[in-house]
């Protein structure tokens, strides 16, 4: 099966409320196992077995080695509604350019374990990722994080500054503190109630509006069904429980106040049509309209992160690496080749 990339963060209002999409064509309704059994990844899946919080866990990951190595490793951290597989286009672009690419499924996501009662923290996920890399003999890497993966990448860089050669943040969430701005607290029970309403139609509607700036390509449907299939399968309870606790982690563990401490050279890639904000739909109308303003948030973050360069894609949404891969990868690879000289002009 040849896949064609996608997956990220905030499946908030549309995802959980089950909005329908009148423009979507009928599709197969696959059901996948709790660890995404039955969904084929574009590269062979490896497994890292370890003990965490008293439980034996399995962390799935992709390890793609280039034909002409340049001696550098890129670690790709996926978003909340994404998996390692949705980095497919970026894995190919980076591998073709000589980078070894490691793309894990974090614990609680996709093909990795969804342990009962696991305490999700960004520190824990960063520690798990660091242990995976150590098991592979990787001490230094370029860390690239998208959406929730961007929030995790910032935490990783704060915890292990000497292990991060360069940092790339792709429409990261966490560029604002939603709670401090007035988004009401939601209990874990409340997140679980939202999980009970997840549907493919809701996922598709949310992704169309937020990830792709009200555009749609049939190739995106693979990623809708990847996510929806886990909710149709026999592991829905485990998937929902992990997802709810992950949303609680995102909403209550800001990295926003530590931007000034991020040490590595940083590239911030922002789709200006992005409007992602956790819990936006629960906020009062006057607050809701101020949230998820990525053209503003990107500029503010770039001023605060010490060695940051900002590139904006005016016409793209939350997932520029999928919506416009050629443009996205030209900028990414240009900066990785020589971050001191700046970045190519966005066309």
């Amino acid at each position: 099966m040849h896949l064609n990339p996608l997956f990220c963060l905030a499946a908030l209002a549309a995802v959980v409320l089950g909005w329908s999409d009148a423009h979507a064509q009928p599709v197969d309704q696959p059901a996948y196992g709790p660890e995404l059994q039955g969904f084929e990844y574009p590269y062979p899946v490896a497994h890292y077995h370890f003990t965490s919080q008293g439980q034996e866990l399995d962390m799935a990951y992709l390890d793609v080695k280039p034909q002409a190595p340049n001696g550098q490793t890129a670690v790709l951290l996926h978003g909340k509604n994404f998996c390692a597989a949705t980095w497919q286009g970026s894995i190919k672009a980076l591998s073709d350019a000589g980078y070894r690419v490691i793309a894990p499924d974090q614990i609680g996501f996709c093909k990795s374990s969804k342990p009962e009662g696991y305490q999700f923290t960004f520190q824990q996920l960063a520690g798990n990722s660091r242990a995976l890399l150590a098991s592979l003999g990787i001490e230094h890497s370029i860390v690239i994080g998208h959406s929730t993966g961007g929030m995790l990448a910032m935490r990783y860089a704060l915890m292990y500054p000497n292990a991060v050669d360069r940092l790339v943040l792709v429409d990261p969430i966490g560029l604002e503190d939603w709670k401090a701005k007035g988004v009401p607290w939601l209990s874990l029970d409340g997140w679980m109630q939202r999980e009970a309403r997840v549907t493919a139609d809701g996922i598709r509607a949310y992704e169309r509006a937020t990830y792709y700036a009200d555009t749609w390509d049939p190739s995106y449907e693979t990623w809708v069904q990847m996510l929806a299939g886990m909710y149709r399968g026999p592991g829905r309870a485990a998937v929902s429980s992990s997802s709810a606790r992950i949303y609680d982690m995102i909403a209550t563990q800001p990295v926003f106040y530590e931007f000034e401490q991020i040490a590595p050279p940083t590239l911030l890639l922002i789709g200006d049509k992005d409007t992602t904000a956790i819990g936006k739909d629960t906020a009062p109308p006057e607050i809701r309209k101020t949230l998820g303003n990525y053209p503003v948030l990107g500029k503010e973050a770039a001023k605060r992160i010490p060695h940051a360069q900002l590139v904006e894609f005016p016409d793209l949404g939350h997932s520029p690496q999928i919506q416009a891969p050629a443009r996205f990868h030209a900028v990414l690879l240009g900066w990785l080749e020589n971050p001191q000289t700046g970045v190519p002009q966005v066309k």
Side-chain angles (χ1 to χ4, degrees):
M1 177 179 178
H2 183 68
L3 302 181
N4 199 0
L6 189 253
F7 187 76
C8 158
L9 164 270
L12 289 167
V15 173
V16 296
L17 294 177
W19 298 343
S20 63
D21 182 358
H23 302 289
Q25 298 300 314
V27 295
D28 293 335
Q29 302 291 300
Y32 300 122
E35 294 177 4
L36 204 49
Q37 294 93 336
F39 185 90
E40 185 180 351
Y41 274 21
Y43 299 95
V45 178
H47 296 270
Y48 172 55
H49 301 280
F50 67 108
T51 301
S52 176
Q53 299 183 20
Q55 300 189 58
E56 297 296 322
L57 303 181
D58 176 10
M59 190 173 185
Y61 66 96
L62 304 179
D63 183 356
V64 181
K65 298 179 176 66
Q67 291 186 346
N70 64 12
Q72 301 180 75
T73 299
V75 178
L76 306 184
L77 303 178
H78 62 76
K80 169 65 179 67
N81 296 328
F82 297 79
C83 298
T86 53
W87 280 115
Q88 176 183 297
S90 298
I91 292 173
K92 185 180 188 305
L94 288 161
S95 180
D96 287 349
Y99 296 90
R100 180 182 180 181
V101 181
I102 308 296
D105 278 344
Q106 296 296 328
I107 295 300
F109 295 83
C110 309
K111 288 188 178 292
S112 291
S113 299
K114 296 166 184 66
E116 183 178 355
Y118 199 70
Q119 183 182 22
F120 286 101
T121 67
F122 283 108
Q123 287 86 346
Q124 179 70 73
L125 297 185
N128 294 347
S129 300
R130 181 70 179 135
L132 166 64
L133 296 176
S135 75
L136 298 173
I138 299 170
E139 293 300 321
H140 299 270
S141 62
I142 298 160
V143 177
I144 303 173
H146 171 233
S147 190
T148 298
M151 204 169 176
L152 174 57
M154 287 187 275
R155 179 57 61 199
Y156 187 97
L158 288 164
M159 291 173 65
Y160 309 109
N162 296 328
V164 180
D165 294 330
R166 277 159 288 172
L167 179 66
V168 180
L169 305 173
V170 184
D171 283 79
I173 61 163
L175 297 183
E176 58 189 332
D177 183 346
W178 309 287
K179 179 176 66 67
K181 284 190 169 182
V183 174
W185 172 75
L186 188 64
S187 69
L188 192 57
D189 291 332
W191 288 116
M192 284 297 298
Q193 290 171 10
R194 287 172 168 255
E195 288 294 307
R197 298 193 293 272
V198 171
T199 67
D201 284 347
I203 294 168
R204 189 183 303 107
Y206 180 78
E207 292 187 358
R208 179 195 289 271
T210 305
Y211 295 1
Y212 309 118
D214 288 318
T215 66
W216 190 257
D217 185 279
S219 64
Y220 304 158
E221 187 65 29
T222 296
W223 313 117
V224 171
Q225 297 304 324
M226 176 189 68
L227 181 59
M230 286 192 290
Y231 285 88
R232 296 190 196 102
R236 177 168 184 139
V239 170
S240 296
S241 178
S242 287
S243 181
R245 282 177 282 129
I246 289 164
Y247 273 125
D248 181 71
M249 172 189 77
I250 295 167
T252 61
Q253 298 178 28
V255 72
F256 174 77
Y257 302 101
E258 300 170 72
F259 289 171
E260 288 78 6
Q261 300 174 40
I262 295 175
T266 301
L267 176 62
L268 190 59
L269 297 171
I270 296 293
D272 282 343
K273 298 294 186 182
D274 191 0
T275 58
T276 302
I278 296 298
K280 178 193 288 190
D281 62 304
T282 68
E286 65 275 14
I287 293 173
R288 189 183 313 153
K289 64 186 179 183
T290 71
L291 302 173
N293 188 343
Y294 269 76
V296 172
L297 295 174
K299 292 180 181 68
E300 291 178 346
K303 290 177 182 178
R304 292 178 54 202
I305 297 173
H307 308 290
Q309 295 186 55
L310 171 66
V311 175
E312 298 176 82
F313 299 93
D315 59 327
L316 302 183
H318 187 63
S319 299
Q321 75 278 24
I322 296 165
Q323 191 181 0
R327 277 193 284 159
F328 175 86
H329 293 122
V331 173
L332 173 62
L333 293 172
W335 183 81
L336 290 178
E337 185 176 345
N338 195 341
Q340 278 71 41
T341 62
V343 296
Q345 184 69 32
V346 175
K347 297 180 181 180

